[in-house]
Amino acid sequence: NQFLNEGAVALQDSTLLVDDTTASVFQGLSLTNSTVSIVGELDATGATVDVGTGTALGDVTIGLKPPSSQYSSAAIFGGTIHDSGGGLEIFGNVQFADLVYQGVLTIAAPYTNVTVSNMTLEDKNGRNAGKLILSGAQSVLDVAAGTTLDNATVEIGSSTIRSGGVSFDVPRIEELGTGQPASLGASLIVDQTAKYAGLGANDYSSSFSSSATVDAAFAGGQMTLDGGTFINAGVIYIGTDESVTSAAASLANQGIVNVAGGGTLALNLLKFYQALPASGTSFDNSGTITLAGGTLVEQSGKSIPPVALRNDATGLIAGTGIIAAEVTNNGTVAATGGALTLSQAITGAGVLEVGATSTLSVLSSVSSGETAQFGGADGVLGLAPKSFLGEIGGFAAGDTIDLFKTSATAASFSGSSIVVTLSAGGTLTLHTTSALSGSLTVTGDGNGGSLIGFAGAPHMAAEIPVLPSTSEEPSLGGRAAWIGFEAQEHLRLDLQHHVMW
């Protein structure tokens, strides 16, 4: 039975335990050196409950404090909670459903589980988007299945972690339940404010979709993306010296991922958790991945073979840095604004774009379906010629092809081919998308290879970075250099123009 208060209640030097009642319990309540603790269900439907600094209730506790917190369960549903500052201290397992929270909702205690369903976050004046702080070690914000968390800022992160450092030790936003997946809305900002944070579904049979802006730019930070399927339909910024690791069974980028210099996007493939999928590709990009000196790496264990990142027909991976992952490329991978290195095998039927005054170095094999396309003046394409089976397009005066570790004495056009005479004897042939004519020059690249130049301005050799062993993550230093939405759209249009040309 619920307790209904229709009179007045005065407490002195006491604690009022609120268990399975309505917000009427607070009417006429007078507290002297006393506190309120919600330990059951509070039905606030149709009411506004004022908590925090300067209110009659003051700071209210919901759930039981440690060591009893792991066994406690409490809930508030319906109505409005107006928090003027520091209003709720949360412990244990707590649910917020069908309510409006005005103010800053803080989840700071460790091992705290908060489930939200149909909850709106507003500032304390009820005019603008609200804020939620998730900072407790191993605390979790569960977004109920079918619920979208939106129109707010979530500050997430903890500086502490248990020994071993596995992902579930960190503060996390995750999907709870089965059926319709939970999601983060397009007006939500997730800001990493301490070293450790996580996003994703709570098991490997569930999916989690984010249209939010995720700012993973805490220096030295680590963020994990988990679950069965993690779908990014929003924006993920990976800052300098930040590592974002996908340990989800499937990662699908349909939005934008920006990786700053010194930042890393690591594709992990659940190497500690479960076997490879029976079929299909676990890493899929149909949106845009921009590297501004950062690294994209696939981390496979000794017992798990690498799985290629699939770059779909609409997918664009562009910029400068290192891609240390196999790529099935049916879209566009482009070097723009500097040097981009592809260290693993490239397959598919897409385009490898060499932007103006940029260098694209392909250190491993390229399948016959790929086209290496020069997209602007003074581009440099570096490749391992014996394992390059694709075609070369747009090769024009001023462009250069760097043949890694291949000594040559001469080169000439022959129909839709470039025939290279080798110093050790014999020739090798590179295929072009159309018949070309003109003179070619051959010079050494200073690294045991040869520069094939289309008569025009001189070129520098393609710079080949020294990659770490496969057990280490490549890393590049440098300042964060975000490419904005408008610039990315110009980049995409420019690339499309060059490919069509």
Side-chain angles (χ1 to χ4, degrees):
N1 296 325
Q2 289 186 340
F3 171 77
L4 301 178
N5 175 28
E6 296 181 354
V9 177
L11 294 178
Q12 182 171 341
D13 302 323
S14 303
T15 297
L16 174 64
L17 298 180
V18 178
D19 185 1
D20 297 339
T21 187
T22 69
S24 66
V25 72
F26 302 128
Q27 295 175 6
L29 181 63
S30 174
L31 301 176
T32 303
N33 194 32
S34 299
T35 59
V36 173
S37 180
I38 301 171
V39 294
E41 290 188 355
L42 174 65
D43 182 355
T45 302
T48 296
V49 179
D50 293 306
V51 297
T53 304
T55 66
L57 296 182
D59 298 344
V60 175
T61 298
I62 179 168
L64 297 177
K65 293 185 178 182
S68 302
S69 59
Q70 60 181 315
Y71 306 109
S72 71
S73 179
I76 303 176
F77 57 91
T80 298
I81 304 298
H82 180 258
D83 183 353
S84 61
L88 280 187
E89 192 174 10
I90 303 173
F91 300 96
N93 301 292
V94 174
Q95 181 178 4
F96 295 103
D98 304 314
L99 61 78
V100 176
Y101 196 98
Q102 295 177 337
V104 179
L105 178 59
T106 301
I107 306 169
Y111 309 105
T112 301
N113 265 68
V114 176
T115 301
V116 296
S117 176
N118 192 28
M119 183 176 75
T120 300
L121 295 168
E122 298 176 348
D123 68 1
K124 65 181 180 181
N125 297 315
R127 299 190 186 100
N128 301 303
K131 179 186 289 187
L132 187 150
I133 299 174
L134 181 63
S135 58
Q138 204 171 338
S139 58
V140 175
L141 176 65
D142 279 321
V143 183
T147 293
T148 297
L149 184 64
D150 204 0
N151 197 40
T153 295
V154 177
E155 295 182 354
I156 182 173
S158 172
S159 59
T160 59
I161 194 168
R162 283 189 322 191
S163 177
V166 291
S167 62
F168 52 77
D169 289 325
V170 306
R172 297 171 45 76
I173 303 173
E174 63 183 27
E175 184 266 354
L176 178 68
T178 58
Q180 186 178 358
S183 62
L184 304 181
S187 296
L188 187 75
I189 298 172
V190 179
D191 184 11
Q192 184 175 354
T193 55
K195 184 169 184 177
Y196 303 104
L199 305 176
N202 68 339
D203 62 52
Y204 301 123
S205 63
S206 301
S207 62
F208 190 91
S209 178
S210 172
S211 296
T213 296
V214 178
D215 189 2
F218 187 84
Q222 300 174 21
M223 177 178 284
T224 57
L225 310 177
D226 292 307
T229 300
F230 188 99
I231 301 170
N232 174 48
V235 181
I236 299 177
Y237 293 102
I238 303 175
T240 300
D241 200 28
E242 166 85 23
S243 176
V244 172
T245 299
S246 170
S250 177
L251 172 65
N253 176 48
Q254 301 169 1
I256 297 171
V257 179
N258 284 336
V259 188
T264 301
L265 173 61
L267 308 177
N268 186 277
L269 190 65
L270 287 171
K271 67 179 180 180
F272 298 118
Y273 303 110
Q274 65 181 37
L276 286 169
S279 62
T281 304
S282 290
F283 307 125
D284 183 90
N285 177 53
S286 58
T288 299
I289 300 175
T290 299
L291 302 176
T295 299
L296 191 161
V297 61
E298 197 278 318
Q299 299 172 325
S300 57
K302 294 181 180 179
S303 61
I304 297 181
V307 172
L309 166 65
R310 186 175 65 202
N311 192 40
D312 294 338
T314 59
L316 171 64
I317 305 174
T320 62
I322 295 175
I323 300 176
E326 293 185 8
V327 181
T328 300
N329 177 42
N330 294 310
T332 299
V333 178
T336 58
L340 178 65
T341 297
L342 312 180
S343 68
Q344 306 297 323
I346 308 297
T347 59
V351 174
L352 305 176
E353 177 82 10
V354 185
T357 65
S358 295
T359 297
L360 178 65
S361 298
V362 188
L363 307 186
S364 189
S365 61
V366 177
S367 69
S368 59
E370 292 290 308
T371 299
Q373 182 79 23
F374 286 89
D378 300 326
V380 179
L381 171 65
L383 51 85
K386 293 183 180 179
S387 57
F388 181 83
L389 303 180
E391 293 184 327
I392 298 173
F395 189 40
D399 293 328
T400 301
I401 300 172
D402 190 350
L403 306 181
F404 296 146
K405 298 181 181 180
T406 302
S407 179
T409 58
S412 61
F413 291 116
S414 177
S416 297
S417 298
I418 299 172
V419 179
V420 180
T421 302
L422 301 176
S423 299
T427 61
L428 65 83
T429 300
L430 301 173
H431 298 288
T432 58
T433 56
S434 61
L436 299 174
S437 62
S439 61
L440 297 174
T441 61
V442 177
T443 56
D445 67 2
N447 293 308
S450 301
L451 299 175
I452 309 299
F454 205 136
H459 292 271
M460 300 297 291
E463 181 178 349
I464 309 172
V466 178
L467 297 176
S469 66
T470 55
S471 62
E472 299 176 351
E473 295 183 17
S475 174
L476 291 179
R479 296 183 178 180
W482 300 124
I483 297 180
F485 296 117
E486 182 177 348
Q488 291 183 52
E489 187 61 23
H490 285 307
L491 173 63
R492 184 186 290 276
L493 294 173
D494 186 52
L495 290 170
Q496 291 174 346
H497 169 77
H498 288 310
V499 171
M500 293 176 63
W501 181 84

